[in-house]
Every structure is written in C-alpha cells, then in structure tokens.
Amino acid sequence: MHAPRPSYRGRLAPSPTGLLHLGHARTFWLAAQRAGESGGELLLRNDDLDRDRCRPEFVDAMREDLAWLGLRWSEPMISQSARLPAHRAALERLHAAGLIFPCTRSRRDVLEAAGAPHEGGADDEPLYPPVFRPSAGWPLPNLGDIITANWRFRVPDGEEIAFTDARLGRQAAVAGRDFGDFLVWRRDGTPSYQLACAADDADFGITEVVRGEDLVRSTFRQLLLFRALGAPPPAYFHASLLRDERGTRLAKRHDALSLRALRAAGRTPSELIAGFAVDPT
Ligand code: GLU
C-alpha cells in the first residue's frame, strides 16, 4: 500500500545560475517553515533549463548551502532538464486545445512594437502586440518532432485572472492588458519557465508555491496554464524581496551576501534564521 500523500506539498526551486544569497535563503526558509507547520513534504526542484546560464557547480553549491542552512527536502531532487518529455506532453495538450500559436517575431520586434517598457520590469516579458497574433480561425501548424519556432500561449483578452495570495491577499490582472501572449516553448527546443514550472507543479501535486514576489505576474500566466492543462492550481505565498542598503533587490551579483561568503565570514545558520524570523514575510 502507498503511504498517504501529505496534504501539503511544497517545493524549493532554485536556478543554478549563481550562488544563493541571503534573499534566496529567506524565501526557502519560509517555504520550509510553511511545509513544516503543515506537517507536509518539501521537494527540491533544480530549475536548470537555461543552458547558457546554468552550471553544474552551482547545483552542488545550492544543495550544500541549503543543507548548511538546515533545510531538508525529499530526495531525489528533480531537475527540469530531465523532464523534457513531460514538458512536451504539456505543450501537446495546449496545442490540441488550440491555445498556442507559433511566433516568428524576434524579441526585438516585440520590444519595439510594445513601445514603453513594461511595468513588470526587466525580467518580465513585454506585452505581446495583438497585431502579431494570428487570427483565431487560422489553421494551426503541427508542432513537429523538432520545434523550430517560438510558441506562445494565446491569452483570453479582457479576462480578469485572480488569486488570493497567503501574504498579499487578492491579486488580479487582466489578460491582454497586464500581460500578453507569453512564450511556452522556444525555438531552441526548450520549454519556457512558465510552461515548465506549471507542468512540474501540476505533475508533482504541489499544493502551495512559496517564492519571491517578483513572480506574482508569472502566477497569472501559470494559472492560465493550470486551467488549460486541467490541473488544480496550487495556493501561493509570495514573499517580500530582500534589498541591499541602496534599496536594490538582492541578485546573484551581490557576492558579499552569498551564503558562501556569509559562512566564510563566520555567520552561522542560526544567526541568519534569527534575522529572518524578525520579519518573516
Ligand atoms: N527558479 C525560479 C527562480 O529562481 C523560481 C521559480 C519558482 O519558484 O516558480 O526565480
């Protein structure tokens, strides 16, 4: 007999593009706290889809740093790069439902046509211009064994997508206005973060996603993907982001605040955790 599934299942999903810093540590510690309070399970997902930026040594470093901090997760770790068939299956489902289209425009075309920088910031997709989108009755080409085009999800224009965040309360965005047709697959053969993340959260039965609030806008897109994939969406807790003394969001370039550097400087996990516990959101 199978052991009963825990009713709470969370995940830690670092990207191995650099060393983890204090901001990651705080978000992951929160995720572990929330899983622990619910007697739940925590998975470790290695978000290693970006071939140019991900490096194996950062995978080892993140496991070691998370363990040093005292976090525990269920093994084995899941690597997104090993889940291509599952991601492709999700893409095929979207294709069969006619919810995606191939896009031959370059990032530059989209940026230029979108005009003003998008308020989501530099790491968010610009609003896809509706004039670039094929009309709804256009015959959809096959995906093909080898994907050579970017594929985008056709968002339901004008529909409000809403969810209740466990920290931020009700969050809402209007499709086609606050975010546009977004990438689900790249012509280099890799799924987009949005598709891989939603497919993985769905397949692994994640019940709550704890991550930084820079990803709130991605959540609206992922909610559309859950619906399209026929999977129940998880609950969400978006944590605030740590900033440096100048108010800039911590990033991997803040080497001095990497867990490695803090550890080398003699800081202990309990000291760091005591700091997180002062303002735990
Ligand atoms: N790997 C993503 C990141 O580090 C987080 C993905 C997620 O939590 O959904 O930004």
Side-chain angles (χ1 to χ4, degrees):
M1 243 179 63
H2 292 293
R5 264 193 159 195
S7 52
Y8 182 106
R9 182 177 278 180
R11 68 353 179 237
L12 308 173
S15 301
T17 55
L19 292 172
L20 297 184
H21 58 58
L22 200 56
H24 298 112
R26 179 161 164 277
T27 304
F28 294 144
W29 173 79
L30 266 168
Q33 286 291 107
R34 292 184 67 83
E37 279 161 16
S38 315
E41 189 183 358
L42 198 59
L43 308 182
L44 176 61
R45 191 180 81 199
N46 169 27
D47 281 5
D48 61 346
L49 287 177
D50 185 339
R51 290 183 205 139
D52 295 335
R53 293 173 60 225
C54 293
R55 301 229 300 267
E57 57 270 33
F58 291 133
V59 180
D60 296 338
M62 77 198 187
R63 289 175 63 93
E64 201 184 298
D65 290 348
L66 292 172
W68 172 76
L69 196 63
L71 305 192
R72 300 288 173 262
W73 54 86
S74 314
E75 295 285 359
M77 173 179 83
I78 300 142
S79 285
Q80 287 196 311
S81 58
R83 295 213 1 105
L84 209 62
H87 299 150
R88 167 88 194 204
L91 183 75
E92 281 170 10
R93 203 164 164 156
L94 302 179
H95 184 266
L99 291 168
I100 56 175
F101 63 90
C103 159
T104 52
R105 307 287 180 157
S106 67
R107 185 170 164 80
R108 188 163 170 181
D109 293 339
V110 175
L111 272 174
E112 277 172 10
H118 189 44
E119 63 168 293
D123 46 7
D124 201 11
E125 284 185 51
L127 202 62
Y128 190 73
V131 291
F132 286 178
R133 157 206 265 187
S135 60
W138 182 70
L140 197 57
N142 290 331
L143 282 172
D145 291 339
I146 297 171
I147 296 185
T148 52
N150 289 321
W151 285 79
R152 289 180 181 271
F153 186 89
R154 183 189 290 270
V155 302
D157 284 340
E159 184 183 328
E160 185 187 73
I161 315 297
F163 66 99
T164 303
D165 185 86
R167 170 177 158 255
L168 298 167
R170 187 173 191 276
Q171 301 292 302
V174 175
R177 186 194 75 188
D178 300 323
F179 64 97
D181 297 341
F182 58 88
L183 271 180
V184 285
W185 207 274
R186 295 173 204 287
R187 59 182 180 170
D188 69 359
T190 54
S192 72
Y193 156 66
Q194 308 294 353
L195 181 73
C197 182
D200 291 345
D201 285 337
D203 288 354
F204 289 98
I206 299 302
T207 61
E208 185 179 70
V209 167
V210 178
R211 60 185 174 197
E213 66 184 2
D214 52 325
L215 290 169
V216 168
R217 298 173 75 87
S218 288
T219 299
F220 299 116
R221 301 178 176 104
Q222 290 169 21
L223 286 172
L224 286 174
L225 292 176
F226 280 104
R227 183 166 83 187
L229 296 172
Y236 290 92
F237 181 106
H238 288 91
S240 61
L241 302 175
L242 282 192
R243 295 182 186 274
D244 67 10
E245 61 289 348
R246 284 198 227 97
T248 311
R249 200 176 105 188
L250 290 195
K252 289 188 172 137
R253 62 185 176 277
H254 283 81
D255 285 342
L257 292 175
S258 71
L259 293 184
R260 288 292 148 114
L262 293 168
R263 180 172 157 188
R267 303 288 296 273
T268 63
S270 41
E271 257 180 281
L272 302 187
I273 288 170
F276 304 152
V278 172
D279 170 21
T281 59

